[in-house]
Amino acid sequence: MQKHLSVFMNNPTTFAKDIVIKEYGLLLNGGNSQDIGCRSISSKAFNWLLLNGQSIGENGRELIKVKRRGNGIALQVVNFVGVVETPCGTRIEILPKVTRDSDDTELARKTLLKMLSVVEKIKLEQFYNSSLKIINQPLLEVLITLFLEETSKLIKKGIRSHYRRTERESPFLKGQLLTAKQIRQRPGRQHYFQVSHDIFTADRAENRLLHSALYQVFKWTKSPNNQRLARELLFVFHDIRKSADYCSDFRKWSDDRTLAHYRDIKVWCRLILSYQSPITLAGQANGVSFLFPMEVLFERYVAAKLKSRFESPLRLSEQTQSKALTEHKEQNWFKLRPDIVIYHDKKVVSVMDTKWKVINQNLATGKDKYNLAQSDMYQLFAYGEKYLNGSGDMFLIYPKHENFDSALEEFSFKPSLRLNVIPYDLVTDQCQISIGVNEHC
């Protein structure tokens, strides 16, 4: 009895395989912390992230930062939201911090899905009408559920087939006889025909990509319901090959009106297949890497929402780079590319830049400067001089949070060039912008 009790007490701590944490939260090596802002994970998962998460992708952006905590270290998740799975099977879901209530995972997940629907152009009408049971699933399972439902609807409308020309050797004459090949037929095989004919098949680019996307989510999902539905849908595609070249097949995707019901699923396929390995984690050999750079997601989302609010003659342009910082050897060097430029007809009337950073309106001192980056201020000054000729209003847009819920007092580079630092509420999509022609959004 004592022996069994001793063995039980010496068992290592069992860690959850599915972890939910908010952006800027801490991951601890061992322990029993279950807070959404500070979660304990296994040593294997911790060490793998420590080795592989500090330099991601071509731009070298990091997924984690090493922070000192007491006598040890912790890993702070930064820059990315989404899902990452370590080789030991620990799946970590990173949600953006969009509300004061850090425990409101449902709202954070719903806000992130809303942003993805706008940026990736995914139609999520069924998501907005979804039950709490669906929204309370992990982010990846929610996306998989919605994709499988969309695929199921498409199959009910019919899988499209087409005629494809094929050449083969046949024991009977069918279609066109290939005379040249028939003449070269080697002795003893004159009773076979070299023919060319059309076959009616569902093995076309659109269906190959859909088959590949279904197979991918089947490997990802851990939900029994999603596994069951994915298995049933895969059976429909049993005779269709998986895509061997995604780029080539996407180029072949037809916009024919007979494929109108395929249009919505194309966006899903592109999202799923491009995010098989969206961010290259060094040493990642298996598991899910479905991460979105939050800075880019925020920038594209804000631009998309603002674009819908400006009416002619106002026009919003993204990532304009018509101006350069210097001219050298009759060439423009160091292109300036603001996130958003507002035109009135052909004249630039405002420049805006978005930053996925945390600033604090309470740090109103010359030392702290609201946690604004000096490099960002230099950047906006250059935009103002080059795009607005040193005269006009500019906007620097940050996400709204508990320590930044109203616009800061106006910054003046000079009397004619002003900068407004304003919050954008991702939950309500509220922002206060007033440009030179008295247009508000």
Side-chain angles (χ1 to χ4, degrees), residues 185-297:
Q185 190 84 298
R186 65 180 184 268
R189 300 192 65 83
Q190 288 88 349
H191 58 291
Y192 286 103
F193 297 97
Q194 298 295 327
V195 296
S196 172
H197 62 90
D198 291 329
I199 58 173
F200 194 59
T201 177
D203 188 5
R204 54 186 296 165
E206 300 84 356
N207 294 332
R208 289 195 296 270
L209 289 167
L210 189 49
H211 188 183
S212 297
L214 277 171
Y215 182 72
Q216 188 61 49
V217 300
F218 177 67
K219 291 196 300 182
W220 281 348
T221 185
K222 293 182 178 180
S223 163
N225 289 334
N226 284 341
Q227 287 176 342
R228 177 188 54 78
L229 181 55
R231 194 178 291 110
E232 292 173 1
L233 297 176
L234 280 170
F235 181 76
V236 177
F237 291 84
H238 177 71
D239 295 327
I240 300 171
R241 294 173 298 160
K242 292 192 285 291
S243 176
D245 186 341
Y246 299 152
C247 292
S248 175
D249 280 344
F250 272 118
R251 285 195 296 270
K252 295 175 184 175
W253 191 295
S254 174
D255 291 326
D256 188 88
R257 64 181 182 180
T258 61
L259 291 168
H261 60 299
Y262 273 73
R263 288 171 187 162
D264 293 342
I265 208 71
K266 181 180 180 179
V267 183
W268 279 107
C269 290
R270 193 179 293 279
L271 178 67
I272 292 166
L273 296 176
S274 65
Y275 278 91
Q276 279 191 93
S277 182
I279 307 298
T280 303
L281 292 175
Q284 171 111 359
N286 52 24
V288 183
S289 175
F290 204 80
L291 297 168
F292 302 89
M294 197 61 204
E295 181 181 350
V296 176
L297 192 60

Side-chain angles (χ1 to χ4, degrees), residues 186-434:
R186 65 180 184 268
R189 300 192 65 83
Q190 288 88 349
H191 58 291
Y192 286 103
F193 297 97
Q194 298 295 327
V195 296
S196 172
H197 62 90
D198 291 329
I199 58 173
F200 194 59
T201 177
D203 188 5
R204 54 186 296 165
E206 300 84 356
N207 294 332
R208 289 195 296 270
L209 289 167
L210 189 49
H211 188 183
S212 297
L214 277 171
Y215 182 72
Q216 188 61 49
V217 300
F218 177 67
K219 291 196 300 182
W220 281 348
T221 185
K222 293 182 178 180
S223 163
N225 289 334
N226 284 341
Q227 287 176 342
R228 177 188 54 78
L229 181 55
R231 194 178 291 110
E232 292 173 1
L233 297 176
L234 280 170
F235 181 76
V236 177
F237 291 84
H238 177 71
D239 295 327
I240 300 171
R241 294 173 298 160
K242 292 192 285 291
S243 176
D245 186 341
Y246 299 152
C247 292
S248 175
D249 280 344
F250 272 118
R251 285 195 296 270
K252 295 175 184 175
W253 191 295
S254 174
D255 291 326
D256 188 88
R257 64 181 182 180
T258 61
L259 291 168
H261 60 299
Y262 273 73
R263 288 171 187 162
D264 293 342
I265 208 71
K266 181 180 180 179
V267 183
W268 279 107
C269 290
R270 193 179 293 279
L271 178 67
I272 292 166
L273 296 176
S274 65
Y275 278 91
Q276 279 191 93
S277 182
I279 307 298
T280 303
L281 292 175
Q284 171 111 359
N286 52 24
V288 183
S289 175
F290 204 80
L291 297 168
F292 302 89
M294 197 61 204
E295 181 181 350
V296 176
L297 192 60
F298 180 64
E299 170 195 317
R300 292 175 61 190
Y301 178 76
V302 171
K305 299 301 284 187
L306 293 182
K307 182 179 287 187
S308 64
R309 301 179 189 180
F310 288 116
E311 298 179 355
S312 182
L314 290 177
R315 176 172 57 88
L316 183 149
S317 177
E318 299 177 56
Q319 298 294 320
T320 300
Q321 49 179 351
S322 58
K323 304 292 183 181
L325 192 61
T326 64
E327 188 175 297
H328 183 69
K329 295 183 178 181
E330 299 182 352
Q331 295 178 338
N332 289 327
W333 285 26
F334 306 109
K335 291 281 188 178
L336 295 173
R337 189 171 64 180
D339 294 337
I340 299 170
V341 175
I342 306 297
Y343 292 87
H344 185 272
D345 291 328
K346 295 184 178 180
K347 180 183 178 183
V348 177
V349 293
S350 185
V351 174
M352 305 178 188
D353 220 44
T354 59
K355 303 292 180 185
W356 184 256
K357 298 178 181 178
V358 177
I359 64 172
N360 192 333
Q361 64 193 21
N362 302 314
L363 301 179
T365 64
K367 178 182 178 181
D368 297 316
K369 303 179 181 67
Y370 306 107
N371 283 340
L372 292 168
Q374 186 166 309
S375 58
D376 293 339
M377 301 300 281
Y378 285 150
Q379 185 182 43
L380 267 295
F381 179 68
Y383 292 162
E385 287 294 329
K386 293 295 182 177
Y387 280 90
L388 295 173
N389 296 319
S391 178
D393 290 298
M394 299 180 295
F395 296 87
L396 193 50
I397 305 172
Y398 290 87
K400 182 178 180 179
H401 60 91
E402 62 269 22
N403 291 319
F404 182 49
D405 55 10
S406 60
L408 301 181
E409 187 176 334
E410 185 180 82
F411 291 85
S412 177
F413 291 113
K414 56 186 181 181
S416 60
L417 186 61
R418 299 165 296 278
L419 173 64
N420 301 277
V421 179
I422 61 172
Y424 188 98
D425 192 331
L426 287 169
V427 177
T428 63
D429 290 318
Q430 295 283 328
C431 73
Q432 295 298 319
I433 294 178
S434 175

Side-chain angles (χ1 to χ4, degrees), residues 71-103:
N71 295 325
I73 61 172
L75 305 180
Q76 185 181 42
V77 291
V78 294
N79 295 328
F80 295 91
V81 293
V83 180
V84 64
E85 184 175 301
T86 66
C88 68
T90 301
R91 184 173 289 185
I92 302 170
E93 179 183 353
I94 306 166
L95 296 175
K97 188 175 182 180
V98 295
T99 62
R100 298 188 180 196
D101 183 4
S102 61
D103 292 329

Side-chain angles (χ1 to χ4, degrees), residues 15-22 25-42 46 74-75 92:
F15 294 95
K17 287 294 186 180
D18 292 298
I19 303 294
V20 179
I21 191 167
K22 283 291 184 72
L26 297 177
L27 296 171
L28 307 181
N29 187 1
N32 57 2
S33 177
Q34 300 297 316
D35 186 77
I36 194 169
C38 186
R39 291 296 301 265
S40 296
I41 58 175
S42 67
F46 185 92
L75 305 180
I92 302 170

